[in-house]
């Protein structure tokens, strides 16, 4: 349930280009005009710039540059995602916090976001360096009605969302390296970590963890990953507004998730393959029993990697060690 303050911010956002009277706010929020005034003063303390005029009312003329649950909600027109936001200036991992929130019955669409992670992680418990105020570190809590073996498809869906947002907002073409890395100029700029709590035939919840390097300079990246990782700032030469990128990401995710629940995985597969890294090109594959070079054909209807066996037959791989640059081996 939205708080009075959240509903106040929504009303001000909906009337951004005009004043809204104290009485109208009082009637809509079912609070006194004095309570409205106190809420306005609290918003000013958070960095909002509020213009107040006698006989006209209030309007917000600028919102704070620092990220908070309120600045994320400001102007965010979504139906279900980010209605509940847990924001921390600093935390170990947003995934850990999101697990706790899920177990405490946080609703579908809750997001957990932090300015900085001290124990950020990717797949296989690899460390994800999450510098303060430099990127997007968030987790999305979902409670979908789907079978547990379909959960991995949401990783691929989230990857297409990130690629779409980078193309539409930043005007830069990304590629997706199967299954969950986003690349710019063959360097990693974002990663996705999907975790799930489920019974045999029922998902209790899914967490989609997203890390995106935004305003890192090269010196902000660990020395051992500078040749493999990048950021929007490094690639474009400019800083980007993190809150705006978060809003675009959330809006796009909600739209894509709803479309997937309605239409299935086929449109996601098609879009993923349009961004797929090295599709139609050779890759080196290593499994527990064998190692060979083959052509990356795309992804299957279940999201598995499609390639060729030694004998030229199309096969599906659900896990394998892939060398994406066999020409450099």
């Amino acid at each position: 349930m939205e708080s009075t303050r959240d509903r106040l911010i929504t009303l001000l956002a909906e009337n951004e280009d005009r004043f809204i009277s104290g009485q109208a706010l009082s009637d809509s929020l079912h609070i006194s005009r004095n309570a409205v005034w106190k809420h306005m003063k609290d918003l000013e303390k958070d960095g909002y710039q509020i213009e107040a005029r006698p006989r006209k009312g209030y309007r917000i003329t600028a919102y704070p540059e620092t990220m908070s649950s309120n600045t994320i909600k400001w102007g965010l027109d979504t139906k279900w995602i980010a209605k509940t936001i847990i924001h921390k200036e600093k935390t170990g991992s947003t995934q850990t916090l999101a697990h706790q929130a899920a177990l405490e019955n946080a609703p579908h669409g809750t997001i957990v976001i932090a300015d900085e992670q001290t124990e950020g992680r990717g797949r296989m418990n690899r460390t994800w360096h999450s510098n303060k105020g430099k990127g997007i570190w968030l987790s999305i809590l979902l409670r979908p009605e789907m079978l547990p073996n379909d959960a991995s498809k949401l990783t691929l869906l989230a990857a297409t969302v990130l690629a779409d947002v980078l193309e539409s907002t930043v005007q830069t073409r990304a590629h997706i390296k199967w299954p969950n890395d986003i690349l710019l100029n063959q360097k990693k700029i974002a990663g996705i970590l999907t975790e799930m709590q489920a019974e045999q035939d029922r998902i209790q919840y899914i967490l989609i963890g997203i890390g995106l390097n935004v305003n890192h300079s090269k010196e902000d990246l660990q020395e051992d990953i500078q040749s493999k990782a990048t950021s929007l700032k490094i690639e474009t030469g400019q800083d980007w507004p993190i809150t705006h990128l978060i809003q675009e990401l959330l809006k796009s995710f909600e739209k894509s998730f709803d479309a997937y629940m309605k239409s299935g995985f086929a449109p996601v597969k098609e879009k993923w393959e349009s961004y797929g890294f090295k599709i139609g090109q050779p890759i080196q594959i290593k499994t527990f029993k064998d190692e060979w070079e083959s052509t990356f054909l795309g992804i299957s209807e279940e999201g598995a990697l499609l390639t060729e066996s030694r004998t030229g037959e199309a096969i599906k791989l659900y896990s394998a060690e892939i060398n994406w640059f066999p020409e450099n081996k």
Side-chain angles (χ1 to χ4, degrees):
M1 184 175 179
E2 279 191 306
S3 68
T4 299
R5 180 165 166 156
D6 289 340
R7 287 184 285 131
L8 172 60
I9 288 173
T10 299
L11 285 168
L12 291 167
E14 290 172 349
N15 294 274
E16 193 170 7
D17 297 327
R18 63 187 180 91
F19 288 92
I20 180 168
S21 72
Q23 189 61 54
L25 291 170
S26 173
D27 292 342
S28 297
L29 299 172
H30 306 293
I31 59 176
S32 69
R33 293 185 62 173
N34 188 54
V36 169
W37 179 84
K38 288 181 178 179
H39 277 293
M40 292 297 181
K41 291 302 176 185
D42 287 339
L43 289 177
E44 286 181 332
K45 290 177 183 176
D46 280 352
Y48 290 87
Q49 294 180 30
I50 297 172
E51 184 177 3
R53 290 191 182 180
R55 294 185 295 278
K56 283 194 172 183
Y58 303 93
R59 67 171 181 166
I60 291 183
T61 57
Y63 54 88
E65 294 182 4
T66 55
M67 183 171 62
S68 70
S69 59
N70 288 325
T71 56
I72 294 170
K73 287 182 178 180
W74 177 257
L76 179 64
D77 184 19
T78 54
K79 291 178 291 185
W80 53 264
I81 201 167
K83 297 304 179 183
T84 299
I85 297 177
I86 300 169
H87 169 254
K88 300 290 184 182
E89 291 186 10
K90 186 175 183 178
T91 190
S93 163
T94 61
Q95 288 288 92
T96 301
L97 276 181
H99 276 294
Q100 294 171 356
L103 294 173
E104 293 169 1
N105 296 318
H108 176 72
T110 295
I111 70 163
V112 179
I113 192 160
D115 298 340
E116 179 183 8
Q117 292 183 119
T118 58
E119 299 171 10
R121 65 184 192 275
R123 290 176 68 241
M124 301 179 183
N125 277 323
R126 294 190 180 103
T127 299
W128 183 277
H129 301 286
S130 311
N131 308 58
K132 184 175 182 179
K134 297 287 186 178
I136 296 174
W137 330 119
L138 70 82
S139 298
I140 303 171
L141 167 61
L142 303 171
R143 299 187 184 275
E145 303 230 350
M146 65 169 63
L147 294 174
N149 58 8
D150 285 330
S152 61
K153 295 176 182 177
L154 295 181
T155 301
L156 305 173
L157 180 146
T160 66
V161 168
L162 274 168
D164 277 348
V165 169
L166 291 176
E167 184 156 35
S168 64
T169 306
V170 185
Q171 284 78 55
T172 186
R173 182 71 175 180
H175 288 94
I176 306 172
K177 181 163 70 69
W178 185 85
N180 70 330
D181 288 348
I182 309 299
L183 307 182
L184 285 185
N185 296 324
Q186 298 193 356
K187 291 185 177 183
K188 184 172 179 177
I189 193 169
I192 298 159
L193 175 63
T194 301
E195 297 178 318
M196 173 177 63
Q197 185 73 27
E199 299 168 2
Q200 187 172 0
D201 59 352
R202 177 178 172 270
I203 291 174
Q204 294 178 354
Y205 64 85
I206 295 174
L207 302 179
I208 307 291
I210 296 172
L212 173 63
N213 296 338
V214 180
N215 291 327
H216 301 67
S217 62
K218 186 175 180 180
E219 295 71 29
D220 291 321
L221 300 173
Q222 298 291 112
E223 190 173 345
D224 60 335
I225 63 169
Q226 286 183 3
S227 63
K228 303 174 184 177
T230 190
S231 72
L232 288 181
K233 181 177 181 177
I234 292 170
E235 297 300 321
T236 66
Q238 68 180 87
D239 287 316
W240 291 89
I242 289 176
T243 299
H244 176 67
L245 287 172
I246 292 167
Q247 291 178 326
E248 292 303 308
L249 172 61
L250 294 173
K251 288 188 288 187
S252 181
F253 187 91
E254 180 181 87
K255 182 179 178 181
S256 297
F257 179 86
D258 287 346
Y260 165 70
M261 295 301 289
K262 181 179 180 181
S263 304
F265 187 65
V268 178
K269 176 183 183 302
E270 182 179 356
K271 178 171 281 191
W272 193 101
E273 291 181 331
S274 74
Y275 288 116
F277 180 63
K278 287 279 185 131
I279 289 182
Q281 298 181 46
I283 57 175
Q284 187 80 16
I285 303 162
K286 184 177 181 180
T287 65
F288 181 69
K289 296 181 179 180
D290 200 1
E291 183 174 351
W292 73 100
E293 188 172 300
S294 183
T295 301
F296 180 26
L297 303 176
I299 58 174
S300 72
E301 289 76 10
E302 302 87 29
L305 183 147
L306 288 179
T307 186
E308 296 173 335
S309 68
R310 281 187 177 276
T311 58
E313 297 174 312
I315 58 172
K316 301 175 185 178
L317 294 176
Y318 293 90
S319 64
E321 185 178 331
I322 308 294
N323 177 10
W324 296 94
F325 303 96
E327 64 275 12
N328 297 333
K329 65 177 182 176

